Amino acid sequence: MQKTKKAIVFGTGSFAEVVHFMLSKDSAYEVVAFTVSKDTIKDTTFLGLPVYPFESIESFIASYEAEMFIAIGYAKMNDVRAEFMSQAKFKGYKLLSYLSSRAQHWKDTKIGENVFIFENNNLQPFVEIGDGTILWSGNHIGHHSSIGKYCFITSHVVVSGHCRVEDSCFIGVNATIADDVKIAKKNLIGAGALITKNTDYAEVYTGTKATILNKTSDRFFQ
Ligand SMILES: CC(C)(COP(=O)(O)OP(=O)(O)OC[C@H]1O[C@@H](n2cnc3c(N)ncnc32)[C@H](O)[C@@H]1OP(=O)(O)O)[C@@H](O)C(=O)NCCC(=O)NCCS
């Protein structure tokens, strides 16, 4: 794809590495630099690109020269990503969003800033995705459902139709939200959990864990 825009990625962890990969392979953005807080810089380059201190990033690349993506995961229930998004905006940077060419969606899907949507997400009609939300690979977001700001939806999550996931939630792999359910702010929905009723602020849910059989595998598939 032709590169028409420049991007600075905040972070030098594995999420930042994946963001660099996706933007390079599947977007109009050329990643030109990384940035992190000054006291966390371990190396002056990452993936062959310069790493600049975030505190003075504007003296290296001005906000009119490049957009920024804050590639921070769900630390402190997404508050760290939200805080650096706010600081980057205060410095004047536009926060870019990425929607994989391998995701399914409709052209009028409302997607906020600093949103990253990986491959095989299926966004049905009338879905809205708030600022700072990450949809890792393979989720289903049902029709008329909205995901708030600063959420982290991991992989193979099913959000059924007419749901509302409020701000700063984490939803673990293979979790299922039944239709017409509201997930309250700062909820942590564990891997494999099934949620059938509205939840309350900052609750944590887990599903049913696997049980171990008192047998060894050599007894099977003879
Ligand atoms: C909910 C979660 C954060 C709980 O974390 P945790 O620190 O492992 O929880 P604990 O160790 O205190 O577990 C308490 C009990 O709940 C069980 N449990 C934890 N998470 C569970 C889950 N998702 N489903 C079923 N049982 C679960 C544990 O096995 C443990 O049971 P035990 O007391 O009988 O041994 C975590 O299990 C989880 O689901 N994380 C999300 C994983 C994920 O989606 N990762 C993708 C990242 S990109």
Side-chain angles (χ1 to χ4, degrees), residues 68 78 124:
M68 194 176 287
N78 301 295
Q124 290 203 303

Coordinates of all heavy atoms in Angstrom, one line a residue, residues 68 78 124:
M68 N 0.1 9.9 15.8 CA 0.6 9.0 16.8 C -0.3 7.9 17.2 O -1.5 8.1 17.0 CB 1.0 9.8 18.1 CG 1.9 9.1 19.1 SD 2.3 10.1 20.5 CE 3.5 11.2 19.8
N78 N -6.5 -0.3 31.6 CA -6.5 0.6 30.5 C -6.2 2.1 30.8 O -6.2 2.9 29.9 CB -7.8 0.5 29.7 CG -8.0 -0.9 29.2 OD1 -7.3 -1.5 28.4 ND2 -9.1 -1.6 29.7
Q124 N -20.8 -5.8 13.0 CA -22.1 -5.9 12.3 C -22.7 -4.4 12.2 O -22.1 -3.5 12.7 CB -23.1 -6.8 13.1 CG -22.7 -8.2 13.0 CD -23.9 -9.1 13.2 OE1 -24.5 -9.1 14.3 NE2 -24.2 -10.0 12.3

